[in-house]
């Protein structure tokens, strides 16, 4: 048995983060009861129509979809949970004006804007741990959004402490003017489309640290993963 005085306080703090075994085995000995994913999305849609006289018609449509889904990958409770915590927002707005210029000419103008944004932290961030909580002194990189503890990977065990964050957003503007003109047996349709898209993204990676502890340097035979 290793004397307690020779055990690193940082290592002891890390081991204390793992839940106690619930299955009688040396590895994979924790069974997470009730570890289910959670999904919740709402999608309200609103439409408005207006007729101004006999020559003009207006309509506007707004469609939103907002929600999140949570999936745990290690089955451990916060603050050591690791998984997907997706937050998504999709919004679309369309406005249209139809004008009857004459008995044989109709003009149409449609404007639209759409935005899709999603954020993916790999943990719930509930009671988030810092490196100081574990007795560690870690630098804070410029792309780090919080002071989080490093991710810990132990050989044969599930990783703990999710500390990455990914964000992305896409904007799309579209203008579509058109004109329909009929003359005799012929119909002529003129139109154009102007579109502009903007894409933004951000990813911290493992800026807060990612430590792995394996048997690679301590097992007797390299090609024997059992460590004997």
């Amino acid at each position: 048995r290793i004397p307690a005085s020779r055990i690193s306080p940082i290592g002891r703090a890390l081991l204390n983060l793992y839940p106690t075994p619930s299955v009688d085995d040396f590895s994979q000995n924790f069974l997470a009861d009730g570890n289910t994913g959670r999904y919740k999305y709402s999608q309200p849609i609103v439409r408005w129509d207006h007729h101004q006289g006999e020559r003009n018609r207006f309509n506007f449509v707004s469609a939103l979809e907002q929600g999140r889904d949570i999936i745990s990958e290690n089955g451990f409770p916060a603050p050591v949970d690791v998984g997907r915590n997706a937050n998504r927002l999709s919004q679309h707005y369309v406005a249209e004006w139809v004008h009857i210029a004459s008995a044989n000419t109709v003009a149409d103008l449609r404007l639209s804007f759409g935005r899709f944004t999603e954020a993916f932290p790999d943990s719930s961030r509930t009671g988030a741990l810092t490196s100081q909580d574990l007795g560690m002194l870690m630098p804070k990189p410029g792309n780090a959004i919080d002071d989080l503890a490093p991710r810990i990977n132990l050989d044969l065990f599930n990783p703990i402490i999710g500390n990455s964050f990914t964000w992305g957003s896409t904007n799309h503007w579209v203008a579509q003017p058109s004109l329909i003109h009929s003359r005799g047996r012929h119909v002529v349709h003129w139109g154009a489309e102007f579109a502009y898209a903007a894409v933004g993204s951000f990813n911290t990676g493992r800026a807060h640290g990612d430590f792995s502890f394996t048997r690679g340097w301590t097992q007797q035979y390299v090609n024997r993963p059992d460590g004997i």
Side-chain angles (χ1 to χ4, degrees):
R1 175 177 297 181
I2 301 176
S5 60
R6 298 181 60 183
I7 297 179
S8 165
I10 298 177
R12 185 184 299 111
L14 292 175
L15 291 176
N16 289 337
L17 295 177
Y18 283 85
T20 57
S22 58
V23 178
D24 187 15
D25 201 349
F26 287 107
S27 64
Q28 304 297 332
N29 52 15
F30 176 76
L31 178 62
D33 294 332
N35 181 26
T36 58
R38 298 184 296 277
Y39 301 84
K40 182 179 180 181
Y41 283 89
S42 58
Q43 190 177 31
I45 300 176
V46 177
R47 179 182 175 94
W48 174 77
D49 291 276
H50 176 69
H51 293 263
Q52 184 175 355
E54 297 180 353
R55 292 178 176 268
N56 297 285
R57 186 186 69 186
F58 301 90
N59 71 76
F60 174 79
V61 178
S62 172
L64 301 177
E65 183 180 22
Q66 183 177 15
R68 63 181 306 184
D69 54 88
I70 301 175
I71 300 176
S72 176
E73 295 179 0
N74 63 2
F76 297 161
V80 296
D81 57 311
V82 174
R84 186 179 73 182
N85 289 261
N87 294 271
R88 297 184 178 92
L89 174 61
S90 178
Q91 46 189 324
H92 301 276
Y93 309 96
V94 180
E96 184 178 23
W97 170 45
V98 179
H99 174 67
I100 301 176
S102 64
N104 59 349
T105 303
V106 178
D108 180 274
L109 175 62
R110 177 179 298 180
L111 304 175
S112 64
F113 169 74
R115 170 178 290 176
F116 178 72
T117 304
E118 57 183 356
F120 284 90
D122 67 342
S123 71
S124 63
R125 296 292 195 270
T126 302
L129 293 171
T130 66
S131 56
Q132 289 80 9
D133 294 333
L134 303 176
M136 306 173 66
L137 182 61
M138 296 285 295
K140 185 177 181 180
N143 64 332
I145 58 176
D146 295 305
D147 184 14
L148 300 176
R151 175 187 171 110
I152 304 299
N153 306 280
L154 291 185
D155 206 0
L156 293 181
F157 290 88
N158 289 332
I160 60 172
I161 308 177
N163 62 4
S164 70
F165 179 81
T166 302
W167 174 89
S169 183
T170 302
N171 297 332
H172 197 204
W173 292 266
V174 177
Q176 296 172 305
S178 65
L179 183 69
I180 299 177
H181 179 74
S182 62
R183 176 174 295 179
R185 300 176 60 183
H186 301 281
V187 177
V188 182
H189 190 181
W190 293 276
E193 179 175 334
F194 305 92
Y196 176 78
V199 180
S201 62
F202 173 78
N203 189 344
T204 62
R206 296 296 177 189
H208 300 282
D210 188 1
F211 294 160
S212 297
F213 301 90
T214 70
R215 298 161 294 171
W217 298 98
T218 57
Q219 63 188 29
Q220 185 175 4
Y221 301 107
V222 177
N223 294 327
R224 296 285 296 275
D226 293 336
I228 58 176

